[in-house]
Amino acid sequence: MSQESEADSSGEASIGEVPIGEEPSEGAALPGVLSEALRAELVAFRRDLHMHPELGNQEFRTTAAIKERLERAGLRPRVLDTGTGLICDIGVPDPALPMLALRADIDGLPIPDMKSGCAYRSTVPDRAHACGHDVHTTVVLGAALVLADLYGRGLLDRAVRLIFQPAEEVLPGGAPDVIKNGGLDGVGRIVAVHCDPRVDAGRIGLRYGPITSACDRVEVSLDGPGGHTARPHLTTDLVTAAARVAVDVPAVVARRVDARSGLSLTWGRIESGHACNVIPQHAELSGTVRCLDLAAWHAAPDLVHAAIDEVATLHRAKSEISYVRGVPPVVNEPGATDLLRAAMTARLGANSVEDTEQSLGGEDFSWYLEQVPGAMARLGVRTPGERTVRDLHQGDFDADESAITVGVELFTAAALLQARG
């Protein structure tokens, strides 16, 4: 990464050694408020990432940029065995004092950047940071710089783990690779933020329990002897069989779980046959399984397999099923959620926290929460007063960059409160 990058359309901000933080004002409870120089550096860093998005497991430039800045701050990051993504500790881990981990995802999306008149729009064709991962990365980097400074001044009493994770957008996500690389060793709690364009900058959304849904993929192949449409009784009528699987299986699955679990099988593709008077020998269906409840998600593969086999057998079709695990739901642990609430309240007051709903989207942060307690907050990135909502995974997505400061100070406050506790 260049050591200079645009901070706005009319000027530049140096990415050199800049003041990290300012002493808290009179009455402030926690140190770690960002200096103006660091704010400018982080905005420039985010814009550079935004201009150079990389897909999952290809984030080599992004990884190198993060590594270089952490090393300049005196830290010792370790690149994952997969070649992208990093783990880095601030301070010396103490087995008696489990660490708080701060997680960011670093990959972009395979869609074009459609913003117009934007000096920092993507320079890579058909690639964009349209989910805010550049903001997430910059927030954790900023928190790293502030916390390293506080640790060096004796103001942080417990080690903190930084996780810059690749491939969040690639099922089943990059989190399992981080875990295999020891990313959770010595970690007692993990937190993250995700950009939310429905929430104003300066605010976060929190929820106890599930905050995202599970998402899996199902591929079904149906086979049987084909024949003439004049004599379906002599064949396996695969078109009818596929149609019954498409209609009946979701209904069967829905009746075998608690309706409150939100388990839903939805087909996105069905293919069979080539001629109007020929019963085919092969049919295919593919779709997704989404689920709001963790226990139902664990039961989903067996339920879906059984339902497909039953319906296919009824129509004398042989079925082959590929059930690909995606991600479980992110289930916010109360203690970690309370930590984020307390941290945000300490920085911007109780009114800066709002309740949020459970999303039907998936997030591989959930894999960490299968191992250790943690929580994810929705980071507001909508400019207050703006009526246009630029949704995630759309080419015109952008973020109010004041959210970077909010995210950094949220994480630094959480680390300080965790150390005190």
Side-chain angles (χ1 to χ4, degrees), residues 38-198:
L38 182 56
R39 292 173 195 245
E41 176 185 358
L42 294 176
V43 168
F45 190 94
R46 179 258 170 170
R47 291 186 176 192
D48 186 90
L49 294 185
H50 199 85
M51 293 172 67
H52 301 92
E54 297 173 299
L55 299 185
N57 296 314
Q58 301 174 25
E59 311 96 330
F60 297 103
R61 182 186 186 277
T62 303
T63 298
I66 300 166
K67 181 173 182 289
E68 187 275 334
R69 188 61 184 95
L70 292 174
E71 289 176 338
R72 245 187 320 125
L75 299 173
R76 301 177 63 183
R78 173 170 63 88
V79 177
L80 301 182
D81 293 343
T82 53
T84 62
L86 310 93
I87 299 170
C88 183
D89 291 341
I90 298 171
V92 180
D94 181 346
L97 296 171
M99 289 179 285
L100 177 70
L102 312 178
R103 175 268 198 171
D105 38 11
I106 66 175
D107 55 325
L109 285 163
I111 63 176
D113 190 333
M114 303 299 291
K115 293 189 294 296
S116 60
C118 178
Y120 54 87
R121 66 179 292 180
S122 174
T123 62
V124 184
D126 299 320
R127 302 287 185 268
H129 268 298
C131 197
H133 293 190
D134 54 334
V135 174
H136 307 164
T137 299
T138 304
V139 163
V140 174
L141 176 67
L145 300 179
V146 174
L147 291 172
D149 179 66
L150 293 176
Y151 186 84
R153 293 194 280 145
L155 298 176
L156 178 64
D157 298 327
R158 186 182 297 196
V160 175
R161 166 88 29 96
L162 313 169
I163 295 174
F164 295 91
Q165 178 211 299
E168 191 277 329
E169 299 286 354
V170 182
L171 288 178
D177 289 326
V178 172
I179 295 170
K180 290 176 185 176
N181 275 257
L184 294 182
D185 295 350
V187 170
R189 183 175 281 167
I190 185 169
V191 293
V193 293
H194 198 295
C195 289
D196 191 336
R198 301 166 302 170

Side-chain angles (χ1 to χ4, degrees), residues 1-345:
M1 172 181 289
S2 168
Q3 292 206 356
E4 293 189 353
S5 181
E6 286 188 345
D8 55 42
S9 60
S10 61
E12 295 183 342
S14 173
I15 306 295
E17 299 298 333
V18 298
I20 295 297
E22 299 174 344
E23 293 300 322
S25 60
E26 184 178 353
L30 296 170
V33 177
L34 271 64
S35 67
E36 288 301 322
L38 182 56
R39 292 173 195 245
E41 176 185 358
L42 294 176
V43 168
F45 190 94
R46 179 258 170 170
R47 291 186 176 192
D48 186 90
L49 294 185
H50 199 85
M51 293 172 67
H52 301 92
E54 297 173 299
L55 299 185
N57 296 314
Q58 301 174 25
E59 311 96 330
F60 297 103
R61 182 186 186 277
T62 303
T63 298
I66 300 166
K67 181 173 182 289
E68 187 275 334
R69 188 61 184 95
L70 292 174
E71 289 176 338
R72 245 187 320 125
L75 299 173
R76 301 177 63 183
R78 173 170 63 88
V79 177
L80 301 182
D81 293 343
T82 53
T84 62
L86 310 93
I87 299 170
C88 183
D89 291 341
I90 298 171
V92 180
D94 181 346
L97 296 171
M99 289 179 285
L100 177 70
L102 312 178
R103 175 268 198 171
D105 38 11
I106 66 175
D107 55 325
L109 285 163
I111 63 176
D113 190 333
M114 303 299 291
K115 293 189 294 296
S116 60
C118 178
Y120 54 87
R121 66 179 292 180
S122 174
T123 62
V124 184
D126 299 320
R127 302 287 185 268
H129 268 298
C131 197
H133 293 190
D134 54 334
V135 174
H136 307 164
T137 299
T138 304
V139 163
V140 174
L141 176 67
L145 300 179
V146 174
L147 291 172
D149 179 66
L150 293 176
Y151 186 84
R153 293 194 280 145
L155 298 176
L156 178 64
D157 298 327
R158 186 182 297 196
V160 175
R161 166 88 29 96
L162 313 169
I163 295 174
F164 295 91
Q165 178 211 299
E168 191 277 329
E169 299 286 354
V170 182
L171 288 178
D177 289 326
V178 172
I179 295 170
K180 290 176 185 176
N181 275 257
L184 294 182
D185 295 350
V187 170
R189 183 175 281 167
I190 185 169
V191 293
V193 293
H194 198 295
C195 289
D196 191 336
R198 301 166 302 170
V199 177
D200 283 351
R203 300 175 63 83
I204 65 169
L206 284 176
R207 176 185 174 89
Y208 295 103
I211 193 171
T212 70
S213 72
C215 182
D216 299 335
R217 187 173 73 246
V218 182
E219 304 280 349
V220 182
S221 294
L222 301 175
D223 292 284
H228 202 293
T229 55
R231 291 176 289 278
H233 60 290
L234 301 179
T235 71
T236 293
D237 187 351
L238 279 182
V239 172
T240 297
R244 295 321 309 176
V245 167
V247 173
D248 294 346
V249 169
V252 170
V253 169
R255 288 297 180 268
R256 293 182 179 176
V257 294
D258 190 323
R260 292 171 296 181
S261 70
L263 182 62
S264 174
L265 169 58
T266 304
W267 303 107
R269 182 181 69 93
I270 181 169
E271 295 183 10
S272 186
H274 300 284
C276 66
N277 61 345
V278 177
I279 294 174
Q281 297 179 338
H282 183 75
E284 294 181 354
L285 303 91
S286 60
T288 61
V289 175
R290 295 184 183 272
C291 183
L292 302 177
D293 178 74
L294 185 60
W297 178 75
H298 284 297
D302 289 341
L303 290 173
V304 172
H305 271 84
I308 292 171
D309 285 340
E310 289 172 19
V311 174
T313 299
L314 183 63
H315 293 275
R316 297 185 297 176
K318 179 182 177 182
S319 62
E320 291 188 7
I321 305 163
S322 173
Y323 193 104
V324 181
R325 272 303 201 192
V327 293
V330 172
V331 182
N332 282 352
E333 185 262 338
T337 308
D338 286 338
L339 175 66
L340 291 173
R341 184 181 299 275
M344 191 66 177
T345 299

